Structure formats: structure tokens, C-alpha cells
Amino acid sequence: RLLKLVPDDTNIDFLKWSKPVVIGSLTLLVIGLGFGIYRGNDVLGVDFAGGDSVMLGYTEQVGVDDLRSAIQQEVEGDVMIQYQSSLVDDEQTLQVTAPFGAGEKVRDILLRDFPEAGFQLMAIDNVGPVIGAEIMRSAIVAALLAALGILLYVAMRYEFSFAAAAIVAIVHDILITMGVYFISGRELNAPLVAAVLTIIGFSINDTIVIFDRIREDLMLGVRGRFVDVINRALNQTLSRTIITSGTLFLATLSLYLFGGSVINDFAFFFLVGIIAGTYSTIYIASAFVLWWHKGERPKMASSQVYAEGTAATARV
């Protein structure tokens, strides 16, 4: 092995911290989703809710309340106003989300009423409400089909408790990521559908590696309680987990810092998903399997070990 971040003989009791981690995750999940419910339709970007998105550059920042007051005097419906800045080149932009068909009017109002701001139009995107609803339906269907496929695959390859644990971990990762995303004040948009599916793929890959090691240790007849077998598997795969998650996190962080405003939301969403997916495999999925079997070794795995041991004895 060319790169080894941790020694092979670590003996960390990961599952000792499973309960505090689960409580912390549930707390963050409730806060994040509650904040999303509180924001209401503001969490839906133009891609889902339909409407016009107006992006402008500026030289002098104007108060959000002043901008909203000027726009709503002539435009009916809710508008969302958000200042954005690039961490790399300090590019300052203003994004205004307005009802469908009002984008050009919003642009004219801002250019007319705030000449001192030096507004310059960068882009106007129009999405009809029918298209937005179709995108949302497609996103939900894609996520459900992915979860169903994972459930069937893991159930056939391992056993149902492992499949259920994988789905619980995936749902946890998505909800935690969405909660943090809502708290950050960002809007849901179409690229996040790809981000959700990417997080699902990352999470199940990380989970399967550890589940495979757990199954292998069970079939080899590793001594100890089931919790000891799981902790052993987690320690055995720790270096791989750090390398895989770490390199992916650094690559996504580069996209977040240097990718520009178009991919910024996707990169932020995926960054949170990487963190959630990494610790959920250890503290959510593994702990769920342990809870499912009430601390006892899975009967299927035990019978396999017994069968292999009997066959080996007969050969000798």
C-alpha cells in the first residue's frame, strides 16, 4: 500500500459514540428541516417553483429592504433577493427571483431606481411553473428508483437488515444535507437533483465496503460479540474511508472555491453530503444493523460460518 494514513492495528470503539451521534444528527435534521418549512416556498428556486431569475453585477451594494420595496411597488407576488460573492475573484452579484414573466420589469426597475449601484445585467432565466413541477416529479422518481434498486441489491447480496440500514443511512444523508442547505439560505435548483443522486452513490459505496468487511469477518469466524466484529471491520477499513472521503472532499472543495457561481450550490450541497455520508456509514448504518439483531450475530452469517467449518473438517 503506497499511502497509509492510519496503522492497520487501530482498535477504536466507534460504536461507543453511536448514540450521541444519532441524537446530534436527529437534532440537526429537525432544526434544518424545520427551518426549511419555516422558509416555505422561498426554498424552491426558479427550476422548481417556476419564475424568472435575474442576475446582475454591481459596484455599490443597496439594502435588500430598499430593493424589495422598489420592486414590489410595481411587481405582484413574492420576490427573493440575495447577494452573492465569489471567494476567488471577489465578483459581486445580485440575484433576484421574481414571478414568471417579471424578470425584464425587475431589471428595468433596478436600473432606473438605483443608478448609484451601477447594476449590469448578467443573465435572465425563465422557467414556467409546468416545467418546474415536471422537474420536481422527475427528481422524486429518480431518488425513489435509486433507493429501491439499492434496497434490492443489498438485500440479495447480504440480508435484509443490511439493506434496511443502507437505506436509513442514505435517507439520513439526504435529509441532513438538505437541512444544512436550508439553513444556509440557499434555494433548491435543478443541479441539486444530480447532487442528491451523487450523494446516494457515494453513501452506498462507502456503506457496502464496510458491510462487505463485516460479512467477511463473520464468515471467517472472527471471535467476539457482534459489536466487536463491527468495530473490527470499521477499523480495518478506516484508512480506506479517510483516503476516499478525503480526496473526494478536497476535489469538491476546489469546485466550491474555484468553480464559479453556476456550480457553487451543487458543490456546497455535495460537500455537506460527503461529511454526512462518511459518518453515517460508521455511526448510523453499522449501529442500525447492530440494533436490528439486538447485538447478536446474524443467523444467516452464523449458519454460513458453521457450514464452511463443517465442510473444511470433512475435507481434512
Side-chain angles (χ1 to χ4, degrees):
R1 185 182 297 178
L2 298 178
L3 181 60
K4 185 181 295 184
L5 297 182
V6 295
D8 291 330
D9 58 350
T10 57
N11 189 27
I12 303 172
D13 188 359
F14 288 101
L15 294 183
K16 179 177 67 174
W17 304 101
S18 60
K19 288 184 179 179
V21 171
V22 169
I23 293 173
S25 284
L26 289 176
T27 302
L28 179 59
L29 190 151
V30 170
I31 293 174
L33 296 183
F35 192 76
I37 294 173
Y38 172 77
R39 286 179 58 189
N41 290 332
D42 287 344
V43 302
L44 298 177
V46 172
D47 293 330
F48 291 112
D52 291 0
S53 176
V54 183
M55 182 173 291
L56 306 103
Y58 64 91
T59 57
E60 181 178 337
Q61 187 167 314
V62 181
V64 171
D65 291 338
D66 294 334
L67 295 174
R68 179 175 285 105
S69 176
I71 293 173
Q72 290 186 333
Q73 286 181 5
E74 303 182 38
V75 175
E76 295 183 0
D78 295 332
V79 295
M80 183 173 181
I81 302 171
Q82 184 179 18
Y83 282 104
Q84 299 177 335
S85 61
S86 171
L87 298 178
V88 179
D89 53 14
D90 291 329
E91 181 185 35
Q92 307 294 320
T93 58
L94 171 68
Q95 183 172 354
V96 181
T97 304
F100 182 72
E104 294 184 358
K105 192 170 186 179
V106 168
R107 174 204 60 190
D108 296 339
I109 293 171
L110 296 180
L111 293 177
R112 181 195 68 203
D113 292 358
F114 304 98
E116 71 280 4
F119 286 128
Q120 296 179 340
L121 180 65
M122 299 177 65
I124 297 181
D125 295 324
N126 312 96
V127 177
V130 175
I131 298 177
E134 181 62 28
I135 293 175
M136 181 173 290
R137 282 194 298 270
S138 299
I140 294 173
V141 170
L144 291 177
L145 289 177
L148 178 61
I150 290 169
L151 180 66
L152 294 175
Y153 168 77
V154 179
M156 289 187 295
R157 184 172 175 83
Y158 301 93
E159 59 178 59
F160 187 77
S161 62
F162 285 65
I167 295 300
V168 168
I170 289 172
V171 172
H172 162 274
D173 298 342
I174 294 174
L175 294 182
I176 284 289
T177 305
M178 292 182 67
V180 174
Y181 192 84
F182 293 154
I183 293 174
S184 70
R186 298 168 183 257
E187 295 179 334
L188 296 176
N189 49 53
L192 295 189
V193 178
V196 168
L197 297 177
T198 307
I199 290 172
I200 291 175
F202 167 77
S203 179
I204 190 60
N205 178 71
D206 203 36
T207 302
I208 286 296
V209 168
I210 293 178
F211 280 179
D212 205 54
R213 183 57 60 92
I214 293 173
R215 184 183 65 166
E216 180 181 339
D217 287 346
L218 287 170
M219 294 180 67
L220 290 174
V222 173
R223 296 180 180 275
R225 300 170 301 165
F226 190 32
V227 63
D228 299 325
V229 174
I230 295 177
N231 274 319
R232 175 187 172 91
L234 293 172
N235 280 279
Q236 289 174 330
T237 56
L238 181 58
S239 181
R240 180 263 175 201
T241 299
I242 294 175
I243 293 172
T244 302
S245 299
T247 52
L248 185 58
F249 183 87
L250 291 176
T252 309
L253 182 62
S254 299
L255 289 177
Y256 176 73
L257 295 176
F258 307 110
S261 58
V262 175
I263 203 172
N264 189 264
D265 287 342
F266 174 93
F268 177 84
F269 196 90
F270 194 33
L271 279 175
V272 179
I274 292 171
I275 297 173
T278 301
Y279 82 78
S280 72
T281 298
I282 298 173
Y283 294 107
I284 305 296
S286 299
F288 186 90
V289 172
L290 182 66
W291 167 82
W292 182 286
H293 294 283
K294 300 179 180 179
E296 302 294 331
R297 288 173 177 254
K299 294 181 179 180
M300 181 181 297
S302 298
S303 63
Q304 290 172 343
V305 172
Y306 177 78
E308 290 190 357
T310 303
T313 303
R315 288 194 298 269
V316 173

